[in-house]
Amino acid sequence: MIKFSDKNLSPIYEKIRENSRLDFEDGLKLFRSNDLIGLGSLASLVREKLHNKKVYYVFNQHVNYSNICLNLCKFCAFGKPPGDPEAYALNIEEIVKKLKENPSPIQEIHIVGGLHPTLPYDFYLELLKTLKREFPQAQLKAFTCVEIDHLAKISSKGIEEVLKDLKEAGLSCLPGGGAEVFSERIRKKLCPNKITGKRWLEIARTAHKLGIPTNATMLYGHIETYEERLEHLIALRKLQDETGGFLCFIPLPFLPQKSYLKKEVAPTTGFEDLKMMAVARLMLDNIPHLKAYWIFLGIKLAQVALHFGANDLHGTVYEEKISDFSGGETKKALSRKEIERIIREAGFEPVERDALYNPLS
Ligand code: V47
């Protein structure tokens, strides 16, 4: 029995016990509740049913191949216009060299970049082929749905053909970025040049149908409403009912410090981050994994988030540029020993996984 200080949570508890799906109105009650412990208890019930005491992580490294970007979204401090003093683009040799600096064999290479105006289509295929050759044990989690759309444009191919080419070159799955908030209102204000939410979902659907699993994110804590967050979550849940192709959902707290929005938007609070995590676990009843992305949340809050529905701590990570450019202050690498300690001290059991959530022995 859970004792709630917010009585609105009791009927939701009954629904969860009966395995009934929560609707939009339930979601609003959850977001409007300040009974954080109640929310965490509900999310933990669901989390336990799905994963028991297991918390996953992967030995991984990020590659942000270029920050030059055509979209220049208002929330993003990573993307730079061509010619900007901070703009960079790594060539394949430099990327391989960086990855080889990591002393241990990498299980997952997480590859994300800006929409570069002149890099040719072949660069992306060659990059995957080379990494697969140089790091045969690694799985390549590469290119968000937004980059896939860009590759379709520069190659004059359809998204299905692009995804097939990438798969043949060594792609395992897609990271979840670029989803932001699907609302047209938000996209018009914050990222008018970015693909629509509808297009993002169409690309994810196509990937799933080709047997390429993907992740999904939501960028929260800027100008969006609770209603818009819920519409986003419910759109993901609907697509998951259709395809089953989402592996993991990652709520990304907006880091305003270096963005155009720094004067208008304050960073999220720990309270809101934990509430967001719990609501995501409760609404997304069909997406198996929920990630506490410690690079954005900070290590301490990510650990606490394990008691608010999260069952995945992402990975060890070795260099990550989006947070660097955005003013994130969390250090950029954890050892296996450190990540396992964080998990164990929170009362869970660490499971090292591959990019597709298969446990490694
Ligand atoms: O789509 C950009 C976000 C995303 C900021 O799939 C910002 O496992 C906060 O895709 N503050 C890219 N967020 C990151 C991404 C990702 C991250 C972790 C795990 C996975 C996964 C994928 O970063 C973008 C955008 O929503 N972003 N700027 C900012 N200032």
Side-chain angles (χ1 to χ4, degrees), residues 8 23 33-34 36 43 47 70 79 89 107 122 125 132 193 216 218 230 287 299 303 316 319 331 342 350-351:
N8 282 327
D23 60 22
S33 177
N34 286 329
L36 191 62
R47 178 214 183 290
L70 292 169
Q107 183 62 45
D122 268 354
L125 298 179
K132 212 58 209 169
N193 302 322
M218 176 169 73
L230 282 167
I287 298 187
I299 295 164
Q303 183 189 37
T316 46
E319 193 176 86
K331 68 178 193 159
I342 290 164
V351 178

Side-chain angles (χ1 to χ4, degrees), residues 120-137:
Y121 186 56
D122 268 354
F123 167 83
Y124 301 88
L125 298 179
E126 245 348 279
L127 174 61
L128 297 189
K129 285 182 197 159
T130 309
L131 295 183
K132 212 58 209 169
R133 199 170 51 239
E134 294 282 342
F135 308 95
Q137 81 290 343

